[in-house]
Amino acid sequence: MWTRTAALLLAGGVFSASAATRAYNLTLHSGPRSPDGFARHVYLINGQQPGPLIEADQGDTLEVTVFNDLDVENTIHWHGLLQRGTPDMDGVPGVTQFAIPPGGNFTYRIPLGDQYGFYWYHSHFKSYYNDAIRGPLLIHPSPSLRRPFQSLAQTEAEKSALLQAETEATPLLLADWYHSPSNTVYQQYLRTGAFPSCVDSLLANGHGRVQCLPNDLLMAGSGLGFDSTSTEMASKTSSMPHAMNSGSTMASCMNDCATTTNAMPMNTAASMSMAMVRRAMSAVEIPGDKSDGGMEMSSLNALGCTPPMMFNPGYSIDSLPQVTCSNTTAPLLTIPVMRSHGWLALHLVNAAATSKMQVSLDAHTMFVFAADGVYVEMQEVKIAQVLPIAIGQRYSVMIRLNQPPGQYYLRFASYPVGDMQQVIQDQAIVDISDEMHTDTDTAFDKPQTTWMLLNGSAKAQVSVLNEEKLAPLIPNMPPAAPADLTKVFTINQTDPVVWVVDKAPYSEAKTPVLYGNGSDGWTANTTLHMPFNSTIDIIMQIADDSMDTMGHPMHLHGHKFWILGTGSGPLPFSSVMDAPTSVINMHDPPYRDTVELPANGWAAIRYVTDNPGAWFFHCHMQWHLLSGMALVLVEGDSLLPNISATSADPSTPGASGDTTMPGGSRPHATATNGADQPFTRSGLLVVLAGMLFVCSRYW
Ligand SMILES: [Cu+2]
């Protein structure tokens, strides 16, 4: 235990002696906006979407008061913040707090401790973050914390340039966007059973445009490899790039069209499951036999989506509103940068509702230096790099500005996680100028420096980030001993509109689970009480009989965890300790807060229950979460904050919903001072951290 604690302290560096309280006010309201050129009513934070960047220094305390001026309830979750000692600040309705009612407010007070890096915040009520209640959150690391840039810098000047680039890094919140409010989208899903994976556009920091695909590309939908006679990827996957090569002239092709003959197929081989085949060959109604020339099964709809194949009884493709697409000319996000700076740093987050993304920057290589807010060993790829980013995940990247001045597309495309696919890409512009060339209005968009296709596939010879090779910069090994508890969760779609993590669909408790046995959720079958101060292994795998075997971005609150391994099919071992090192990495696994469970596959994570709280564990695909794909994992039951359900009820004066007392007299969660409290915020730990940190180096 001492070793792990010491390692954590070392990894975190010293708490700043000048730790400050960073106060923010976030007002949730609504208004008309046209982020992709299509006007709709959106939710806003302080008049903008996404919300403002929340910044703090390592060791600071965040104090964010959320005023809910919407006519719906809300909460704000701080994705990835560990909430040590403040489990009631995690922002999950029914788990850690009562929702903030319309007209109410709530003050989130979060000591950040040793956390640093890039995070994000978002509504955790219903699917309102899809209506734009989301924003970036950045904790600047202590200057004394070791950086992972050494391999990139030969001189002091280069070191300075890298550090400066990191300081000036641009947060980039990538999202998918619907032209209908999330409530409307979800209600249609519940009614029809047709999964709403088809979005209208993708956005970078709230900017994008609708880019309709040319007809020939839509008709090349069979290039997605759908072949109901085989569980293997159909060889005709090449037909999509072929079609793209055969005459598409739309601007949306972005010159990809000329260079796609060696394109890699979409990454769906692993996901072509028996479930898909069963469904395709069953009585499920599919388009294709319309006399009016309607879509063939293998065609994409106007938005580039494979048509839904699963419906509630009595519904079919004809029950759905007709899918249409109209190009827009909304301005793209532009990121200006001076070439003389040498480097550009970006903090990327996939804040989408349903779309896994692939990201690339034309002509440039990205060096990933942090994953989910933790510095990692730098990973250089020689030619180029495409980053796959699951929903909720973050990457911080460093980009060497070694190309001529000009405008380069930063591309982000939806990438399939199963049989529901959409060919959609959007772009932001990185505008590189220098003292000699201030005029950069020429789009620099050459096929030979475009790394990926419209569908997010990396071209041949293009390197894709290896997500398994993301060892933390400061070694942070999982406990070596066998787990105290192994939980096997069988991820399952049991009905068109029901998704579960473990047997039963989650539903929100009336009284937050954190409030103990006064909560109706305390003994729910989706609340698991974990042993405290224990090593837990969670093995997730897709159920054999799941109606859909797509992948899932699984997020655990209150912890980072070691990703010991992922793979296809079921994990063929009863515990991770039985698996060989080629399958399970106990040496230098990634340490993150969101893991992508592969389509038709398994994922094994390990964490230590050292943080008393009620922690949500769920799929970050919004429609899955809303449809039950979540659990509450309680740890340290006897050490939970002393909050009574009565005093915290929003109808009680001074509680979270009180409009006149922002966070004032509500019962603040003060961690108990029991002897077995593992992470008190006492000065002793600060001193210990400082003493231990003397051996840490700047580089
Ligand atoms: Cu999911």
Side-chain angles (χ1 to χ4, degrees):
M1 184 63 186
W2 164 247
T3 306
R4 189 164 67 240
T5 305
L8 284 170
L9 290 169
L10 273 172
V14 286
F15 294 17
S16 168
S18 58
T21 295
R22 307 286 176 183
Y24 287 85
N25 288 334
L26 300 182
T27 300
L28 313 182
H29 61 116
S30 64
R33 287 292 187 281
S34 309
D36 62 355
F38 178 89
R40 59 159 278 200
H41 207 67
V42 308
Y43 290 161
L44 299 160
I45 303 176
N46 297 358
Q48 64 181 87
Q49 70 95 358
L53 173 66
I54 290 183
E55 290 181 274
D57 292 328
Q58 193 176 355
D60 286 349
T61 292
L62 276 180
E63 193 170 280
V64 187
T65 299
V66 176
F67 297 91
N68 184 10
D69 286 356
L70 293 169
D71 57 4
V72 295
E73 295 173 283
N74 245 300
T75 63
I76 298 291
H77 169 60
W78 317 90
H79 185 116
L81 297 192
L82 299 177
Q83 305 287 6
R84 290 193 181 279
T86 53
D88 57 335
M89 297 290 119
D90 198 39
V92 184
V95 180
T96 68
Q97 69 169 101
F98 288 97
I100 312 169
N105 65 67
F106 189 97
T107 297
Y108 295 91
R109 192 167 196 283
I110 309 167
L112 296 171
D114 58 356
Q115 278 201 273
Y116 66 92
F118 184 55
Y119 297 85
W120 64 300
Y121 61 92
H122 61 81
S123 168
H124 222 301
F125 197 86
K126 293 189 175 178
S127 52
Y128 292 152
Y129 89 62
N130 307 137
D131 299 305
I133 305 181
R134 53 192 159 200
L137 191 157
L138 183 59
I139 308 169
H140 297 282
S142 162
S144 61
L145 191 65
R146 184 180 162 203
R147 302 305 204 264
F149 307 136
Q150 190 161 20
S151 64
L152 301 181
Q154 308 302 318
T155 66
E156 287 301 317
E158 287 174 322
K159 289 179 185 176
S160 298
L162 284 156
L163 288 173
Q164 190 63 27
E166 186 194 29
T167 301
E168 297 171 354
T170 301
L172 212 50
L173 194 140
L174 305 175
D176 47 19
W177 189 244
Y178 295 81
H179 287 170
S180 299
S182 65
N183 270 348
T184 304
V185 174
Y186 186 57
Q187 289 307 316
Q188 179 178 301
Y189 172 43
L190 282 185
R191 191 177 71 255
T192 65
F195 193 76
S197 58
C198 199
V199 304
D200 289 287
S201 62
L202 305 179
L203 305 177
N205 288 355
H207 296 275
R209 58 175 66 145
V210 180
Q211 303 182 27
C212 308
L213 297 174
N215 219 30
D216 57 348
L217 190 53
L218 296 178
M219 293 310 295
S222 57
L224 295 175
F226 194 92
D227 181 348
S228 63
T229 62
S230 170
T231 58
E232 297 302 317
M233 187 73 176
S235 59
K236 57 186 176 182
T237 46
S238 58
S239 67
M240 169 169 289
H242 209 63
M244 295 166 73
N245 194 31
S246 65
S248 300
T249 54
M250 299 290 289
S252 58
C253 252
M254 296 297 178
N255 289 339
D256 276 343
C257 312
T259 57
T260 53
T261 50
N262 60 354
M264 296 169 66
M266 293 180 80
N267 183 27
T268 53
S271 64
M272 291 298 294
S273 64
M274 285 309 296
M276 287 175 61
V277 175
R278 277 198 301 272
R279 206 165 49 252
M281 300 184 72
S282 73
V284 174
E285 193 165 345
I286 53 176
D289 48 11
K290 294 180 179 177
S291 57
D292 61 356
M295 291 177 296
E296 295 297 324
M297 189 179 94
S298 56
S299 300
L300 304 173
N301 71 19
L303 288 170
C305 303
T306 53
M309 295 177 292
M310 199 182 305
F311 298 92
N312 285 335
Y315 289 90
S316 72
I317 193 81
D318 294 326
S319 313
L320 305 177
Q322 187 178 3
V323 175
T324 59
C325 184
S326 300
N327 284 306
T328 63
T329 54
L332 300 178
L333 176 74
T334 297
I335 302 166
V337 58
M338 291 298 292
R339 189 173 184 275
S340 58
H341 289 187
W343 293 91
L344 167 67
L346 300 174
H347 295 304
L348 301 160
V349 55
N350 183 345
T354 195
S355 308
K356 179 183 178 179
M357 293 205 200
Q358 301 256 89
V359 181
S360 72
L361 175 60
D362 286 1
H364 292 81
T365 298
M366 290 187 273
F367 301 82
V368 172
F369 68 89
D372 289 2
V374 173
Y375 284 140
V376 297
E377 295 282 1
M378 192 74 81
Q379 187 182 160
E380 180 173 4
V381 180
K382 300 299 180 191
I383 303 172
Q385 198 165 60
V386 169
L387 297 183
I389 314 182
I391 299 171
Q393 290 185 329
R394 287 89 62 212
Y395 288 113
S396 299
V397 300
M398 199 61 83
I399 296 159
R400 192 194 300 270
L401 302 173
N402 58 359
Q403 296 296 310
Q407 293 187 319
Y408 296 84
Y409 283 115
L410 185 136
R411 301 168 188 271
F412 43 106
S414 180
Y415 200 62
V417 289
D419 51 352
M420 288 173 286
Q421 305 177 356
Q422 182 168 17
V423 178
I424 184 170
Q425 185 188 114
D426 227 301
Q427 304 85 28
I429 295 170
V430 175
D431 189 346
I432 302 173
S433 58
D434 69 10
E435 288 74 8
M436 302 296 291
H437 303 81
T438 53
D439 180 12
T440 58
D441 59 356
T442 304
F444 200 90
D445 185 24
K446 296 182 178 176
Q448 63 268 31
T449 54
T450 301
W451 308 135
M452 69 183 195
L453 307 180
L454 279 176
N455 64 19
S457 296
K459 292 180 180 176
Q461 279 87 52
V462 167
S463 297
V464 179
L465 176 76
N466 185 343
E467 296 157 275
E468 295 177 2
K469 303 286 186 189
L470 290 170
L473 176 68
I474 298 166
N476 175 19
M477 292 173 66
D484 299 300
L485 176 67
T486 295
K487 299 295 291 185
V488 178
F489 294 148
T490 305
I491 310 286
N492 203 343
Q493 184 189 18
T494 58
D495 180 271
V497 293
V498 178
W499 301 77
V500 305
V501 176
D502 182 37
K503 301 182 187 72
Y506 168 82
S507 61
E508 192 177 306
K510 290 187 179 65
T511 298
V513 175
L514 187 64
Y515 292 17
N517 57 16
S519 163
D520 49 316
W522 188 249
T523 56
N525 57 3
T526 51
T527 298
L528 306 184
H529 295 264
M530 313 301 270
F532 191 54
N533 268 337
S534 300
T535 299
I536 310 292
D537 284 346
I538 293 178
I539 299 170
M540 298 159 255
Q541 46 202 25
I542 308 288
D544 276 348
D545 58 351
S546 183
M547 296 179 74
D548 187 295
T549 58
M550 65 189 298
H552 301 273
M554 302 301 295
H555 172 47
L556 175 61
H557 293 209
H559 287 279
K560 282 189 164 62
F561 47 76
W562 293 277
I563 301 175
L564 303 181
T566 59
S568 58
L571 176 65
F573 304 94
S574 58
S575 84
V576 300
M577 304 309 280
D578 297 333
T581 55
S582 59
V583 174
I584 291 294
N585 179 3
M586 297 291 287
H587 176 64
D588 61 354
Y591 190 60
R592 314 187 62 156
D593 54 52
T594 306
V595 61
E596 187 186 16
L597 171 63
N600 210 17
W602 62 271
I605 65 173
R606 171 168 287 198
Y607 75 106
V608 177
T609 50
D610 55 7
N611 188 17
W615 304 118
F616 216 24
F617 177 63
H618 65 93
C619 177
H620 222 293
M621 194 172 281
Q622 284 296 278
W623 318 121
H624 289 177
L625 169 58
L626 288 183
S627 308
M629 206 162 199
L631 296 174
V632 180
L633 306 181
V634 180
E635 65 196 65
D637 296 33
S638 63
L639 300 170
L640 296 182
N642 183 23
I643 310 172
S644 77
T646 305
S647 63
D649 188 285
S651 62
T652 305
S656 61
D658 189 279
T659 54
T660 58
M661 307 170 73
S665 62
R666 65 176 295 280
H668 184 75
T670 305
T672 56
N673 289 321
D676 52 353
Q677 180 78 9
F679 283 91
T680 62
R681 284 160 288 156
S682 68
L684 177 61
L685 277 187
V686 177
V687 173
L688 272 174
M691 291 168 62
L692 287 163
F693 199 68
V694 293
C695 58
S696 180
R697 294 182 302 116
Y698 195 78
W699 289 91

